């Protein structure tokens, strides 16, 4: 591989790694997702440092290709496809979790409304409704804990 | 009753349902509507569960199952119907009585068992015939209306449907096959239905029907491959 190409590939790998570190630092990318992309960046750098003869040997013997760049592109394409598949699996799991959470919020809200803890026109989306004084039933807790005032029976 | 943007209709539907089935609690699941569906349903005397955002028709149905299964009122039967007024509430008692008799676990209201006068659009009719035929072969009973959302479910069934196996988009023939494989008994009863108002069907447009056919084939295929989780004990 010509030295100019090596510089470009290694530069690309360094930029990829730096961008990933920056995204993690800014909390735009979670650590658990960063390692795969870091691995991809390191792999790009390693490919440029690998001797061309070894790549030729690997691509012809293992993949049956006499053209190492084509073999590398193929492996890169497979890696990106697997990465996308892995994200789709995580996305499916999160969609299921979000659905369950949405359902639970809706049911809790309905139960609170039926127990008259939540005003009929309020919703748990507006989280402040249970803490603001504007809520019709809101009243300060009595001193010494959350027990009901003596003149009112506790609600079940 | 799963409902999405049914403002203006929901009051009449809830009222008609309360008159036709006075012994039933009415629950409307507002699937993240952007209009006043929830407020109107509450004012009409229904209990309302409101999704914080749109989750899909199947997810709304499942919310109803979860609500009923966890309610201290201990419901023994649940009847689901659409909130757009398509389903005649006069059959609620009929479907529920079939489940209460103990002879079946699920009773599906079919618009094709007797001539109800309902003629679906061509694309939908093809889907109904195709998936009805597949469901009939697999369940070894005649399925005439696999897309019907007018159903009565016994307690064991709606407890079973709390699982993540229940599809969040549109439950259909795949759910009938799942029920059969889990050992539940299902049957159809004739009901009257009105056609969907044009443009309001969840299978409308060009892309959605194609995705529906693809999804249903895939869902039926994997349902047949999966070992269904065991139903709750009797």
């Amino acid at each position: 591989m010509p030295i100019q190409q090596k510089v470009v590939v290694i530069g690309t790998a360094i930029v990829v790694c730096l961008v990933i570190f920056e995204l993690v630092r800014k909390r735009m990318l979670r650590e658990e997702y960063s390692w795969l992309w870091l691995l991809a960046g390191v792999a790009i750098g390693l490919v440029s440092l690998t001797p061309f003869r070894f790549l030729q040997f690997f691509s012809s013997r293992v993949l049956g290709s006499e053209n190492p760049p084509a073999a590398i592109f193929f492996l890169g394409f497979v890696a990106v496809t697997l990465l996308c598949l892995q994200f789709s699996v995580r996305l499916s799991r999160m969609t299921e979790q979000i659905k369950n959470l949405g359902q639970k919020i809706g049911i809790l809200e309905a139960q609170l409304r039926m127990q008259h803890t939540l005003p009929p026109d309020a919703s748990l989306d507006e989280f402040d409704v249970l803490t603001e004084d504007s809520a019709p039933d809101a009243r300060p807790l009595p001193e010494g804990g959350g027990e009901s005032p003596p003149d009112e029976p506790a609600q079940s | 009753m799963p409902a999405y943007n049914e403002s203006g209709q929901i009051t009449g539907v809830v009222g008609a349902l309360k008159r036709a089935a006075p012994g039933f609690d009415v629950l409307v699941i507002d699937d993240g509507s952007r209009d006043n569906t929830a407020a109107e349903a509450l004012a009409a005397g229904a209990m309302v569960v409101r999704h914080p955002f749109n989750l899909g028709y199947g997810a709304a149905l499942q919310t109803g199952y979860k609500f009923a299964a966890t309610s201290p009122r201990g419901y023994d039967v649940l009847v689901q119907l659409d909130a757009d007024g398509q389903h005649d509430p006069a059959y609620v008692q009929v479907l529920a009585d079939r489940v209460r008799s103990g002879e079946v676990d699920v009773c599906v209201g079919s618009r094709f068992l007797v001539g109800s006068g309902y003629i679906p659009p061509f694309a939908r009719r093809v889907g109904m015939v195709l998936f009805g035929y597949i469901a009939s072969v697999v369940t070894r009973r005649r399925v005439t209306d696999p897309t019907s959302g007018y159903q009565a479910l016994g307690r064991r069934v709606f407890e079973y449907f709390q699982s993540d196996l229940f599809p969040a988009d549109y439950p259909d023939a795949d759910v009938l096959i799942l029920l059969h494989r889990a050992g539940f008994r299902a049957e159809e009863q004739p009901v009257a239905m009105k056609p969907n108002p044009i443009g309001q069907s969840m299978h409308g447009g060009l892309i959605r029907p194609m995705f529906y056919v693809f999804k249903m084939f895939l869902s039926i295929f994997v349902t047949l491959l999966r070992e269904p989780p065991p139903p709750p004990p009797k």
Side-chain angles (χ1 to χ4, degrees):
Chain A
M1 189 184 280
I3 189 73
Q4 195 178 349
Q5 271 185 23
K6 280 193 176 184
V7 170
V8 170
V9 174
I10 291 173
T12 305
I14 290 172
V15 168
V16 167
C17 291
L18 285 177
V19 168
I20 291 162
F21 280 127
E22 185 60 12
L23 288 174
V24 175
R25 191 185 70 81
K26 286 184 174 173
R27 294 184 176 278
M28 292 167 71
L29 179 66
R30 289 172 66 94
E31 288 87 345
E32 63 184 288
Y33 296 111
S34 66
W35 70 271
L36 272 171
W37 293 112
L38 279 173
L39 198 69
V42 171
I44 292 169
L46 284 179
V47 167
S48 71
L49 296 174
T50 309
F52 189 75
R53 280 185 183 175
F54 175 77
L55 289 177
Q56 213 166 18
F57 173 80
F58 176 80
S59 68
S60 64
R61 288 292 171 88
V62 180
L63 300 174
S65 166
E66 294 303 324
N67 186 1
I72 291 169
F73 271 118
F74 171 71
L75 288 178
F77 177 74
V78 170
V80 171
T81 304
L82 289 177
L83 212 60
C84 289
L85 192 64
Q86 197 242 6
F87 285 135
S88 292
V89 170
R90 281 178 184 260
L91 203 61
S92 299
R93 196 166 62 213
M94 284 179 181
T95 304
E96 198 63 40
Q97 289 170 335
I98 289 169
K99 183 207 76 178
N100 288 336
L101 271 175
Q103 290 176 321
K104 194 165 269 186
I105 287 175
I107 291 172
L108 281 172
E109 190 183 290
Q111 287 170 344
L112 287 174
R113 194 180 292 120
M114 282 187 279
Q115 292 167 2
H116 307 292
T117 313
L118 193 67
D121 56 344
S123 83
L124 289 182
D125 300 359
E126 304 139 16
F127 284 108
D128 54 347
V129 79
L130 290 177
T131 54
E132 274 188 3
D133 293 340
S134 58
D137 290 334
R139 55 174 180 261
L141 287 172
E143 286 182 19
E147 292 171 8
S148 299
D151 56 331
E152 286 184 40
Q155 285 190 347
S156 59
Chain B
M1 267 198 295
Y4 180 64
N5 291 343
E6 298 291 355
S7 179
Q9 295 217 70
I10 194 75
T11 305
V13 174
V14 170
L17 182 56
K18 285 177 94 69
R19 283 191 298 276
F24 285 75
D25 287 343
V26 179
L27 173 70
V28 172
I29 298 107
D30 174 22
D31 192 17
S33 297
R34 293 186 298 270
D35 58 13
N36 285 329
T37 300
E40 289 178 19
L42 265 175
M47 297 184 286
V48 174
V49 171
R50 207 176 61 86
H51 286 167
F53 33 76
N54 186 253
L55 292 172
Y57 176 75
L61 284 176
Q62 195 187 40
T63 301
Y65 305 149
K66 290 180 176 179
F67 181 90
T70 55
S71 168
R73 301 197 64 168
Y75 298 107
D76 61 336
V77 65
L78 175 153
V79 183
Q80 63 184 51
L81 67 167
D82 290 353
D84 57 4
Q86 191 192 4
H87 298 154
D88 184 345
Y91 296 89
V92 165
Q93 193 70 59
V94 177
L95 299 181
D97 285 347
R98 285 299 298 148
V99 173
R100 282 200 175 119
S101 73
E103 291 175 37
V104 291
D105 301 299
V106 180
C107 187
V108 181
S110 167
R111 68 205 105 174
F112 303 118
L113 272 179
V114 292
S116 65
Y118 173 72
I119 301 170
F122 177 73
R124 185 160 188 185
R125 200 159 59 223
V126 170
M128 281 174 169
V129 170
L130 178 65
F131 294 120
Y133 176 74
I134 295 173
S136 299
V137 170
V138 174
T139 62
R140 293 194 289 277
R141 70 173 176 87
R142 189 170 167 233
V143 176
T144 61
D145 197 351
T147 62
S148 171
Y150 200 177
Q151 301 180 3
L153 317 174
R155 183 170 186 91
R156 285 173 67 237
V157 178
F158 60 77
E159 280 181 351
Y160 187 72
F161 279 163
Q162 293 181 84
S163 142
D164 285 343
L165 276 180
F166 191 80
D169 40 15
Y170 21 82
D172 208 299
D174 51 344
V175 170
L176 298 176
I177 291 171
L178 173 67
L179 283 172
H180 169 75
R181 284 179 49 86
F184 289 109
R185 298 156 301 164
E187 70 165 21
E188 287 185 339
Q189 284 288 325
V191 295
M193 290 189 200
K194 296 175 203 158
N196 265 333
I198 293 172
Q200 287 193 9
S201 169
M202 62 184 167
H203 300 311
L206 183 68
I207 302 296
R208 277 190 288 185
M210 292 196 311
F211 177 72
Y212 161 73
V213 170
F214 161 76
K215 185 260 168 185
M216 200 47 58
F217 268 122
L218 181 65
S219 185
I220 289 173
F221 182 61
V222 295
T223 302
L224 290 171
L225 289 180
R226 277 189 204 122
E227 189 62 37
K234 287 187 181 177

